[in-house]
Amino acid sequence: MYKIAVLPGDGTGPEVITEGLKVLKAVSKAAGFKYETKLYDFGGDRYIKTGEVLPDSAIEEFKKMDAIYLGAVGHPDVKPGILEQGILLKIRFSLLQYVNLRPVKLYPGVWTPLKDKTPQDIDFVVVRENTEGLYVGKGSFQDKFSPREIAIQESVNTRKGVERCIRYAFEYTQKRNKDKKLTLCGKTNVLTFAWDLWKRTFYEVAKDYPDISTDYAHVDATCMWMIKNPEWFDVIVTDNMFGDIITDLGAMIQGGMGIAAGGNINPQGVSMFEPIGGSAPKYTGKSVINPLAAICAAQMMLEQLGEKKAADLVEKAVVKVTTENLKSLSAGKMGYSTSEVGDLVVKYLA
Ligand code: IPM
Ligand code: MN
């Protein structure tokens, strides 16, 4: 019996999570596993009403779960940063979800802006470090509000944090067993402290994985290759900030935010799965947003839980929807409502 914490969150989060849960229910019957959910209403509305963002007691409850399923955080009436840091980053950091795993996979039938590229060409995974770097919130102002003002934002990279992420990436590349190639994406030519540590660690750890071929690309060049030759990539490992940026680019080449999913992974603990797009406030309540990203996040959750059969069933059903039904993955252009897309996935599971 799996225990799953469900945090629909803000904006269109609840709409897409509803579809994800619909699919989870159907696939649990088809694949024969049991689970229970516990719903948490953390997000902008609750914060506005009560002033509470995410109490430590909730973190303690999450630690006893098998997984967390998150919709989106971000509310137009809440100052940027409060919910993102207070909910999303707080969960990632306090549950030591030190890897953000983001597959960039073009499914059959899905339009990509890259001319002449096919599902065979666009199929790689980004392993983004998820608890360090520029995201630690360290820094300072000097002479704030004066013409001499200086804002310092520090990137913290620990040997331990970098090494566990890189090790995960090597293990993942081995398990994935595709091209057995791991690319380190960094900026060794300018960020000479952080990327010196990353590069040294990368090549040291690489010695333990002689069957994995290694490569290095600067982050700017990585963006170029992702557009020009995405087929060169198998697995990419990078830091928190670069990983954030290149995975939005990745989402675009795989067909958009409507399909992009990710997992915040603690390999020894509780992981959290989410569609990587935001709360899309302007589409809230219109039932036009694509739930496939949330459904693919549920698929990743099933894989992490060890429910391989269920995960495969969901992926196959999603591919059927992209090949046979959807006109587009974009909000309002699918030819179906949010809940109809969920229904189609459920239908194809049977
Ligand atoms: C993501 C998001 C978050 C991040 C924001 C909402 C804090 O963009 O999951 O990629 O920057 O990590
Ligand atoms: Mn992002």
Side-chain angles (χ1 to χ4, degrees):
M1 179 73 110
Y2 300 117
K3 289 199 295 281
I4 301 172
V6 178
L7 283 77
D10 300 316
T12 52
E15 293 167 47
V16 297
I17 289 298
T18 298
E19 301 315 306
L21 291 176
K22 199 191 257 178
V23 171
L24 199 61
K25 188 172 178 180
V27 80
S28 73
K29 291 199 184 106
F33 66 90
K34 286 201 164 45
Y35 69 100
E36 59 186 25
T37 56
K38 182 160 183 200
L39 190 69
Y40 296 86
D41 69 349
F42 300 113
D45 289 331
R46 175 162 171 160
Y47 172 66
I48 290 165
K49 253 184 263 154
T50 69
E52 183 171 64
V53 182
L54 179 72
D56 294 340
S57 59
I59 296 285
E60 291 311 309
E61 285 187 34
F62 296 162
K63 286 182 181 164
K64 294 178 204 125
M65 299 283 174
D66 293 295
I68 304 169
Y69 189 38
L70 174 77
V73 294
H75 194 293
D77 303 329
V78 179
K79 193 176 151 216
I82 293 179
L83 302 169
E84 292 84 349
Q85 285 179 350
I87 299 178
L88 190 61
L89 300 188
K90 182 168 174 173
I91 297 173
R92 287 178 182 170
F93 282 52
S94 49
L95 296 187
L96 293 177
Q97 293 164 344
Y98 62 81
V99 161
N100 198 323
L101 193 64
R102 296 189 163 180
V104 178
K105 187 170 182 178
L106 179 67
Y107 282 125
V110 174
W111 180 82
T112 174
L114 301 189
K115 191 163 176 282
D116 302 333
K117 297 297 178 190
T118 67
Q120 277 187 336
D121 302 312
I122 303 174
D123 182 5
F124 60 93
V125 178
V126 177
V127 174
R128 164 187 174 188
E129 201 291 320
N130 210 33
T131 51
E132 298 195 338
L134 282 166
Y135 277 69
V136 297
K138 271 189 80 145
S140 58
F141 289 112
Q142 283 171 32
D143 301 321
K144 197 173 179 186
F145 304 123
S146 86
R148 301 175 306 280
E149 177 165 359
I150 303 174
I152 297 169
Q153 191 86 43
E154 290 168 313
S155 173
V156 175
N157 300 264
T158 67
R159 168 71 196 213
K160 185 180 170 192
V162 169
E163 181 169 342
R164 67 189 175 188
C165 174
I166 287 174
R167 268 196 197 280
Y168 180 93
F170 274 102
E171 293 284 332
Y172 187 88
T173 309
Q174 209 165 48
K175 252 197 5 235
R176 174 169 153 92
N177 200 19
K178 190 176 171 255
D179 305 331
K180 293 212 163 179
K181 176 181 168 188
L182 180 61
T183 303
L184 176 68
C185 161
K187 193 72 186 173
T188 54
N189 52 350
V190 175
L191 307 179
T192 49
F193 299 105
W195 288 97
D196 186 90
L197 170 61
W198 272 84
K199 200 165 184 174
R200 261 187 288 121
T201 310
F202 182 72
Y203 286 108
E204 266 175 48
V205 174
K207 290 185 196 140
D208 295 339
Y209 300 89
D211 57 327
I212 306 295
S213 64
T214 53
D215 198 2
Y216 170 83
H218 293 317
V219 62
D220 45 354
T222 302
C223 291
M224 181 178 77
W225 299 128
M226 278 173 68
I227 302 298
K228 196 169 182 285
N229 297 101
E231 66 278 7
W232 286 359
F233 295 116
D234 178 11
V235 182
I236 297 175
V237 62
T238 191
D239 79 357
N240 211 341
M241 188 77 257
F242 293 164
D244 178 47
I245 297 166
I246 70 169
T247 54
D248 264 34
L249 181 60
M252 288 305 115
I253 67 172
Q254 74 180 120
M257 286 301 181
I259 190 109
N264 302 272
I265 310 290
N266 175 341
Q268 287 87 36
V270 184
S271 301
M272 171 169 70
F273 299 85
E274 52 172 342
I276 80 171
S279 57
K282 69 174 177 184
Y283 295 123
T284 306
K286 297 198 162 76
S287 199
V288 293
I289 203 96
N290 191 340
L292 288 183
I295 292 168
C296 289
Q299 188 264 343
M300 291 181 75
M301 177 165 74
L302 290 168
E303 227 157 67
Q304 179 77 15
L305 290 171
E307 294 295 332
K308 177 92 180 92
K309 182 180 159 209
D312 288 347
L313 280 173
V314 173
E315 187 169 25
K316 281 203 187 80
V318 167
V319 168
K320 222 163 144 92
V321 174
T322 61
T323 46
E324 294 183 13
N325 299 101
L326 299 193
K327 285 200 296 220
S328 156
L329 296 191
S330 304
K333 298 187 182 134
M334 298 185 290
Y336 295 87
S337 70
T338 302
S339 61
E340 284 169 345
V341 175
D343 291 341
L344 284 168
V345 175
V346 168
K347 182 175 109 185
Y348 295 141
L349 281 174

